[in-house]
Amino acid sequence: MDGLTVDFYHMRLTGLVLREPKLRLVLSAYANDVLLVVQDSDLAWLEACQTVYSTASSSWVNRVKSSGLVALYSPVRTSGVKPCKKSAIPGVTIKQFVEVIPKGCSTPDFERKPITLTLQEGKNAIFRAVVKGEPPPKVIWRRSKEEMNNPDKYQMSFSGITNEFILKINKLSTEDTDLYHCSAVNEYGEAACIAGLKVIQVSFKKTTKPFPTEPQEDLKKELQDFRKILRKRTPLPAQKEVDMEQVWQLLLNADRKDYEKICLKYGIVDFRGMLRKLQQMRKDREDKQQQYIYSVTNLKHIKVNKEGNATFHLEMDLKNPESRIYLYKDGQLINYGFNDDKVKHCLRQAGKKYNFTINHLQLEDAGVYQIKVEDVDVFSTELEADFIPVGFRRLLSEVHCHEQGNAIFECSLYSPCYDAMWLYRKHPIEKSDKYKISISPDGLTHQLVIKNTQLTDKGTYTLDIRICSSSAWLEVECGAGSLYGKDVMLGGASVGAGLDGAGGMGAFDGGGAGSGGAGGMGSLCESHCHFNKGLSDVSAQKGKPTVLSCSLNNDQVEGIWFKDEFEQLTGLDELSSEKYGLVHKLIDTVEESHAGKYKFEAEGVKTEASIFVEDPPNVDKALLEKLMKEPVIVKAGQNAIVKIPFEGRKPVRATWLRDGDELLNDARIHIDKADSFTRLSISSTNRKDCGDYKVKLKNESGTLEASLKLEVIDKPQKPIGPIEVVDSSTTGITIRWKPPKDDGGRPVQNYIIERQQVGRKTWVTLGETSRDNSTFTTNKVGQDKSYRFRVRAVNAEGKSKALESDEVMAATKAFPGPPAPPQIVSANKESITLSWAAPPKTGNSRILGYIVEKRKKGSNIWIPISDLPITDRKWMVTDLKEGLQYEFRVAAINAAGTGEASAPSDPVFARDPMKPPGRVRDLKVTNTDYTSITLAWMKPDSMEGGPAKGYKVEKKSSDSLKWTHCNTVPIGLTTCTVKGLQAREMYFLRVRAVNEGGLGEAIALDTCIQAMPPIVSPKFLRDDTMKNFMIIKAGSCIRVHTPFEASPTPEVIWLKDGLPLPSRAIVSTRDGLSQLLIPSAEFSDSGLYTIILQNEWGKKESFSFQVQVAAIPQSPGPILLQEKVLNTVTVIWEPSPTEKWESNLYYVVMKRDSNKGSWQVVADLIYNNKFTITKLIPGRGYYFRVVAKNYMGTSDPSETVQPWIMQKEKDEFKVRLPKYRRVNQNMPPRFLLQLKPHVVTTAFDCHMSCAVSGYPKPKITWYKDGRDLSEDHTFFSTNDFGVCCLVIPGVTKRDEGEYKVEATNELGHVVSKAMLIIKGKVI
């Protein structure tokens, strides 16, 4: 390859010349990388990064990446790299380096690419990739921003079990947010993909990087590095170890939509395994909860409110209200208060509702919170750091300053804030000569300096950061001098001290070195006493020493210790106080009485802390060691009693376990629990009671476990049978057996052999054998007599039960029977391997060997394959001709000779086995119903294996781990319907191809499939036959067809006028069609009919139509004629009887001149029974006719018999005044508004009211449970214009009952009733 130039083009015009004869070039898809492969030298891979390019085509630049290798780069455009190929995995690009790829080789590709991750700072990130290609590709990881050359930070590995290439990034920080590239490269191409990593910052770390030692060519990069140097961050809290048990409890209580987020966060990748484990955990938890809880409902996960507090609650019905409820955070027990907002963790209980509150949230409060009742997990929820409204790390504190001095307020935040506002008495403060406002570059530290303070400056100063605020008081004292100097800030850290000892920000001129840091904000007078380090809370175990310590800035200052609000510790009160320079310590061996709050005070400054005394369970060490070293030995049938005394804070809960499972009281096992001991008693022990026992002692301070081993000794079990007859003849019988499975905890000493002659009752002892000898021969036999033998095992505890044999005859030796046909184990062109079973009849002696014979298929000549008998039951036959088909048979040999040969085996070809088929393709579900699922797939690729001769389909339910076959014989089609399934059950299905070479790899569906039809929302298939209005002739059949589609089959509901159908109606529904049938329609069948389709998910679809049952109407009644106005006549007739049930009935009025024979329609569509006819000619006679009509037709007419003649002469005009009739106002009483039931709390007033009308005015009477309340002065009733009200002041439980109001007048009476229920007060 010397002098060879290979062109490469990727975003830049770059070429490469290698001057090393053993190197071969492989071009990378990286933007800035070139890969070199060393031939004949273990394929070492070298990566030349940061390619230097030049715009001049003649320029070359040398880069040495490893010793002995020189890479020359030139800007020559590539022409040899083929364009990108398409990968089956989205987001993967493939490049081919050669024009033609040899057969059997391929370019790399990803079977599973790494996924984008979002993780919290401090956790570990793991990228996984599975690649393929021939030859196997090499996988290379890199990131976009910088190199990954830190082996402690970046760990790359390969898992041979899962075939995964793994990149692990330890202890994430925000700088790890980047794009990570993964490339798989071999000599024919490269596959590349990108995965993102986003790191969520929980807190701010203080990082300081040194200035670069080399000058930077890039000014922008130099400025960025300089900004990083100036950046200050608060330290991260210590990383907490993740307890996976807490994670599983969190998943157990989480919503299904949150499963993926939790699994990604905690690195759980086996989703199916997770679901199975959660199902089992849920069942186990329900079983445990039944001991203490009736039900747990309405679980609400933790939420953060606007006030900066977090709450979560649940409803829980406890069997015993005295059961203790524990709260854990990240597995640690924490104390909580009741109904007290001043404590950090608070529980509020209202009936069955339990509400937990975490007050004054800080980042340290993030974690997993668990609620337990006794030792049973009830609820788990997680408070994530991202949801905590981060506020003040250090609040403002009160400042005392002398007049004309400078006062300084300072506070620090958890997160940067650059738009904070200072307020004085709620009025904003602007930067001026009076006020100096400073903010640190990282936005975390805020300072206000009030110069030349006056008495008018006294008051409250506030820093508002929008999400919250902090306030403190400034006290200005009279006088020009001060012990503390001119600049004063009390109640906080010294002004000269920066955050975490790094120095402050220089608040005013003259600021020198701060305490514990470089470059403070200005120094306080050294004479001012303050704490370098204050007291902090201590949790100590009882009986062990503990220390409370603090540090002052002056070693000459003495201090005083106080305890509990706060009594001075005189004479040190059995406590040891020490002083080492600036450090003051309080030391003692902790007892219960030492718990409490302590204060140390020196020259006006003070610090406080508490000692919490923990007293976990404790057991004598000598007893623990004895239990671990010496097992507890008990004879079978006796009682085993183990007593464990203990000490510790009460109550102590004791739990006994055996082999990891909890022991509960039953007929034989009894557990005693007391304040100072626990005892396990097992009556009538047996060998099953052997095992490892453990007692777990637990209280609020901790847990202790004590382990012991229990051994129960007993007689051995009987030997393992059956008894085998080794030899049987007229001269003797030899038998053999196997040692017992359980020796009873003591070694077997010997065996006792007994014999019984068939037909007799007595057993004769023949002898004994040693523990190592399980064979026995007896010569005390008679010819042609049958015997039974039995064997007992003996140990130090006694004899076992007997193992008895079948009948054995001492007769002349018999030939063995034929074995079963031999089975073909394997076959190839050079040999065929056979196996066979022993014959069921061995004669009366043991089998000495076998003779195996072969023949060609179709031949009658059997040829032995060996000269000597074969003692094994498996043999490889050689000396075969390739391509011929052979059959084999076997005969057994015993002491009597060779027995009958077996039947021939299945014919088999002497040829190499066929390759198993490959994987089926495109497996999918084509149809489902309640009892079956139909699958379809494509044949395997012929390149992956041999041709498929059939297919096997397997299934397993979602709650099972075992796959079962759906077909016993392989099917030849590429579709299969799996039948016999349980309705609505979830199933996993897989298919594998099969041929003579064996089974192919199984391909399963990605998800479990439910045995039910595809979901189709209910829908009516509207057509011309479905009408909204129907007219049916009375007596005819009403038949309505309503086709629909829905899956699963919905519930079909028919209604008439909103009510169920009458009993005469017949409804039938099947195959997407519902039919309503009423055989003989009646007028009462008219109305609005509605059909409703409703599936089990609550989705509804409805269709309504109107049915009108009608008949030809009957004729109207007699006609009456009246003349009220001159030349007009009013026709009045009796209504047709049909009008009673026919709403669409109308009338037609006709007239006929007595001189003419034709009828004329005078009026049509008349819906009453009266009509006035005008324009009649005086002196003529008229006949009148009325007919009734509806949709069905016209009735017979009703006519006048005599003609009506209009008179010509005019009548005398008279005015007829109508007679005045008085309006009848009489009306019986009726309720306009009925009484309503009332539910009233005890001691509250009850107002019951109703509205009544009637004339004369009804009399109102009130009753309670039938008793008249008119004379009862504890009730007050009113009646204002028909509105009646009854008032019951201050109700009690005695007022509960039925109340009735009665309204009566001379025309009748009515009654209204209602119930009054009294409930107790809510506490």
Side-chain angles (χ1 to χ4, degrees), residues 1155-1172:
N1155 297 326
K1156 298 179 181 179
S1158 62
W1159 289 93
Q1160 297 178 355
V1161 176
V1162 178
D1164 198 356
L1165 298 175
I1166 300 174
Y1167 290 93
N1168 55 18
N1169 58 345
K1170 181 173 65 174
F1171 184 76
T1172 301

Side-chain angles (χ1 to χ4, degrees), residues 553-588:
N553 67 330
N554 191 340
D555 59 358
Q556 303 299 322
V557 178
E558 296 292 338
I560 303 175
W561 291 91
F562 297 86
K563 179 178 183 291
D564 290 339
E565 297 297 336
F566 286 103
E567 296 183 3
Q568 182 174 348
L569 298 179
T570 58
L572 297 183
D573 292 349
E574 302 179 355
L575 298 174
S576 175
S577 175
E578 298 179 358
K579 179 177 178 295
Y580 301 95
L582 301 176
V583 180
H584 297 255
K585 293 184 178 181
L586 190 66
I587 306 173
D588 192 22

Side-chain angles (χ1 to χ4, degrees), residues 168-188:
K168 182 178 181 182
I169 307 174
N170 297 317
K171 296 182 179 179
L172 294 175
S173 64
T174 53
E175 286 78 7
D176 295 320
T177 298
D178 201 353
L179 293 178
Y180 289 79
H181 302 254
C182 181
S183 289
V185 185
N186 64 11
E187 58 187 287
Y188 301 109

Side-chain angles (χ1 to χ4, degrees), residues 1068-1216:
S1068 59
T1069 303
R1070 58 180 299 179
D1071 298 333
L1073 179 67
S1074 183
Q1075 174 182 277
L1076 170 64
L1077 176 64
I1078 301 178
S1080 179
E1082 299 178 358
F1083 293 109
S1084 59
D1085 295 328
S1086 299
L1088 182 66
Y1089 287 79
T1090 302
I1091 177 174
I1092 301 174
L1093 305 178
Q1094 179 175 348
N1095 63 14
E1096 58 191 67
W1097 292 280
K1099 293 186 177 180
K1100 293 183 179 181
E1101 183 77 8
S1102 63
F1103 171 71
S1104 299
F1105 57 92
Q1106 186 77 33
V1107 173
Q1108 178 67 51
V1109 179
I1112 296 176
Q1114 300 180 23
S1115 58
I1119 298 175
L1120 175 65
L1121 301 176
Q1122 294 180 353
E1123 183 181 0
K1124 296 183 179 180
V1125 180
L1126 185 64
N1127 296 332
T1128 64
V1129 64
T1130 299
V1131 182
I1132 303 174
W1133 61 91
E1134 293 291 333
S1136 170
T1138 307
E1139 191 174 326
K1140 295 179 181 180
W1141 57 80
E1142 176 66 69
S1143 61
N1144 296 316
L1145 185 73
Y1146 62 94
Y1147 297 96
V1148 178
V1149 179
M1150 295 179 288
K1151 72 175 181 177
R1152 179 173 67 87
D1153 195 330
S1154 59
N1155 297 326
K1156 298 179 181 179
S1158 62
W1159 289 93
Q1160 297 178 355
V1161 176
V1162 178
D1164 198 356
L1165 298 175
I1166 300 174
Y1167 290 93
N1168 55 18
N1169 58 345
K1170 181 173 65 174
F1171 184 76
T1172 301
I1173 302 174
T1174 61
K1175 299 181 181 180
L1176 296 177
I1177 301 174
R1180 287 191 181 182
Y1182 292 93
Y1183 291 94
F1184 299 94
R1185 172 185 286 181
V1186 179
V1187 295
K1189 280 189 175 183
N1190 64 3
Y1191 297 122
M1192 302 303 298
T1194 305
S1195 69
D1196 295 333
S1198 176
E1199 301 177 353
T1200 57
V1201 179
Q1202 299 294 330
W1204 178 270
I1205 300 174
M1206 303 297 297
Q1207 299 297 328
K1208 291 184 178 181
E1209 62 274 16
K1210 295 183 180 180
D1211 293 338
E1212 182 180 356
F1213 178 76
K1214 294 181 180 180
V1215 178
R1216 296 179 182 179

Side-chain angles (χ1 to χ4, degrees), residues 96 98-107 134-135 187-188:
Q96 184 175 322
V98 297
E99 290 290 341
V100 180
I101 299 178
K103 186 177 180 180
C105 300
S106 64
T107 58
E134 188 62 37
E187 58 187 287
Y188 301 109

Side-chain angles (χ1 to χ4, degrees), residues 658-688:
R658 183 180 69 189
D659 298 330
D661 297 327
E662 184 177 355
L663 290 175
L664 301 175
N665 287 325
D666 58 18
R668 293 193 311 111
I669 299 176
H670 182 70
I671 298 174
D672 295 318
K673 300 176 182 177
D675 291 340
S676 60
F677 71 90
T678 179
R679 180 168 53 215
L680 172 65
S681 302
I682 305 176
S683 60
S684 302
T685 56
N686 54 53
R687 289 284 294 166
K688 293 181 180 180

